[in-house]
Amino acid sequence: SYISIVKFVLLHAQADVLAARLEKRAAEGKHFMPAKLLQSQMDLLHIDESEGVLKVDATLEPQAIVNIIIQASIIKPQSQRSP
């Protein structure tokens, strides 16, 4: 018997940061959604604190984000997993 536990991580950033990223990716042809739709998406986002979602600052360097997730015990590095 296996038990599965799903944990969610929200990479959180302010709307202006996300808009700049969207505009950059759209200019490079790497994103389909226009930045003008971002605010409606932000308005619909609802995080219920009781669900235990880990919020991490999306403006951090990728390795810092990974380290925060590991420290929060959301995931364990491969070397610490049980066989």
Side-chain angles (χ1 to χ4, degrees):
S1 173
Y2 292 96
I3 297 175
S4 296
I5 298 174
V6 176
K7 298 285 186 173
F8 291 94
V9 177
L10 171 64
L11 297 179
H12 178 73
Q14 297 299 319
D16 59 330
V17 172
L18 297 175
R21 290 180 179 182
L22 275 175
E23 289 169 3
K24 179 178 183 274
R25 290 179 186 153
E28 296 169 346
K30 297 180 179 178
H31 205 282
F32 64 92
M33 187 179 97
K36 67 182 180 180
L37 295 178
L38 177 62
Q39 190 58 54
S40 66
Q41 297 296 302
M42 298 289 290
D43 292 343
L44 291 173
L45 180 64
H46 174 73
I47 304 299
D48 185 340
E49 298 297 327
S50 70
E51 293 177 342
V53 174
L54 176 63
K55 288 173 96 173
V56 180
D57 183 350
T59 63
L60 297 173
E61 293 295 320
Q63 189 59 54
I65 292 171
V66 170
N67 291 343
I68 290 168
I69 294 168
I70 291 170
Q71 289 172 0
S73 299
I74 297 297
I75 62 172
K76 292 183 180 178
Q78 187 70 24
S79 63
Q80 294 180 7
R81 294 183 187 167
S82 301

